[in-house]
């Protein structure tokens, strides 16, 4: 579920696409993902008030590379 009080998203077996869609609401610009990583299963707690940190955590936990073309155009690619 989404814990608004602590400004974090608790993911339990959540598809990566869904997590990134939620994170995207908390940051400016485009946050996309490659179709091949959309269904990767995510576990963990991700800070919604620091989406860059959340993306770093994702990158550490999954075979995903966060590609920052500009600060406003970010995408999750296969690592």
């Amino acid at each position: 579920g989404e814990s608004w009080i602590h400004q974090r998203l608790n993911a339990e077996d959540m598809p990566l696409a869904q997590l990134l869609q939620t994170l995207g609401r908390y940051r400016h610009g485009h946050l996309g993902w490659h179709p091949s990583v959309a269904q990767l299963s995510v576990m963990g707690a991700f800070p919604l008030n620091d989406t860059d940190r959340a993306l770093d955590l994702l990158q550490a936990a999954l075979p995903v590379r966060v590609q920052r073309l500009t600060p406003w155009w970010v995408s999750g690619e296969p690592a």
Side-chain angles (χ1 to χ4, degrees):
E2 292 174 42
S3 168
W4 302 115
I5 306 120
H6 299 107
Q7 286 286 292
R8 70 166 187 251
L9 175 74
N10 294 314
E12 215 169 297
D13 210 17
M14 181 185 284
L16 180 61
Q18 189 185 336
L19 180 71
L20 290 176
Q21 210 169 19
T22 304
L23 285 179
R25 290 193 218 119
Y26 289 85
R27 56 183 295 131
H28 298 293
H30 170 84
L31 177 56
W33 52 88
H34 192 276
S36 70
V37 300
Q39 292 307 314
L40 285 174
S41 180
V42 183
M43 298 281 284
F46 299 89
L48 293 171
N49 55 354
D50 185 351
T51 55
D52 283 315
R53 169 112 180 84
L55 291 170
D56 290 343
L57 289 168
L58 270 177
Q59 193 167 236
L62 295 170
V64 173
R65 189 164 47 94
V66 175
Q67 202 159 23
R68 292 174 167 90
L69 299 177
T70 75
W72 301 279
W73 192 277
V74 177
S75 71
E77 304 288 328

